[in-house]
Amino acid sequence: MSTDLLSSAPKNPRGIPKAPFIDDPAAFVLKHESTEAALTGINDALAKYKYMESSLSTRRAGLEQKIPDIRKTLDMVQVLFDRRNAKGKLKEEDSDDLEDEDDDSANQPLTTTFELNDTLYAEATLDDTDEVYLWLGANVMLSYPLPQALTLLKEKLSAAGSALFGS
């Protein structure tokens, strides 16, 4: 019975049927064999909507947690990319212009703190690199060149933002 109630309703882009408004409850009950059958149909539809709501809430919570992680990763990859480009530019310039302190810091290894767990951090010294390893989930980590990693992370951030705020 609930399929009759929801099957005739128009659907949104996600495929969720619009909840029908029952103008005349008496006429609605008369369409069914009994009052219990009508109420069962309505209760089944309500259960489906509650399940959809729960599913969407879980998805939203997951996206709200992923977006800050993607931003942090993107920021760090951007720092590595900028340092690599700055070092490349320094090599192209004359050696006479390398007297600045800023130039000297670009030649030093990068010391950073990174998160191991919610409450556990570690310090690391990073040498310049052309690639980074990105955790993709499902026990998968892949190596990417810095420009490709930046592109991938920007796309992931954009997709997560549009899924979160576009829904």
Side-chain angles (χ1 to χ4, degrees):
M1 303 283 167
S2 65
T3 55
D4 294 337
L5 183 65
L6 296 180
S7 64
S8 61
K11 297 182 180 188
N12 71 6
R14 298 189 110 159
I16 299 172
K18 184 177 177 182
F21 182 77
I22 301 171
D23 291 337
D24 187 6
F28 178 77
V29 171
L30 289 175
K31 289 180 185 176
H32 296 82
E33 300 104 32
S34 66
T35 306
E36 289 79 23
L39 289 177
T40 301
I42 292 172
N43 285 335
D44 288 348
L46 179 62
K48 287 181 182 180
Y49 282 119
K50 285 185 179 184
Y51 174 76
M52 289 182 235
E53 177 188 26
S54 171
S55 175
L56 289 174
S57 294
T58 302
R59 179 170 156 71
R60 177 177 279 283
L63 287 171
E64 287 173 347
Q65 184 179 11
K66 285 180 186 177
I67 288 175
D69 291 341
I70 294 171
R71 276 199 186 110
K72 283 195 297 187
T73 304
L74 178 60
D75 290 344
M76 189 62 200
V77 172
Q78 186 68 52
V79 166
L80 293 173
F81 184 74
D82 292 345
R83 278 181 57 89
R84 190 69 175 166
N85 283 345
K87 194 169 201 172
K89 288 179 185 176
L90 286 177
K91 288 180 182 177
E92 294 173 4
E93 294 178 357
D94 293 331
S95 60
D96 296 338
D97 296 355
L98 297 177
E99 304 285 328
D100 293 345
E101 285 183 29
D102 293 337
D103 296 342
D104 191 36
S105 67
N107 291 325
Q108 299 296 323
L110 176 65
T111 302
T112 186
T113 305
F114 63 95
E115 183 178 359
L116 292 173
N117 196 344
D118 292 340
T119 58
L120 182 62
Y121 291 84
E123 189 172 286
T125 303
L126 306 176
D127 294 327
D128 286 332
T129 182
D130 290 326
E131 66 182 10
V132 292
Y133 291 84
L134 296 179
W135 181 259
L136 300 179
N139 293 329
V140 176
M141 182 179 276
L142 292 177
S143 171
Y144 287 95
L146 287 172
Q148 190 177 358
L150 279 172
T151 302
L152 176 74
L153 288 168
K154 287 176 183 176
E155 288 172 359
K156 292 275 186 190
L157 183 61
S158 174
S162 65
L164 180 63
F165 301 115
S167 58

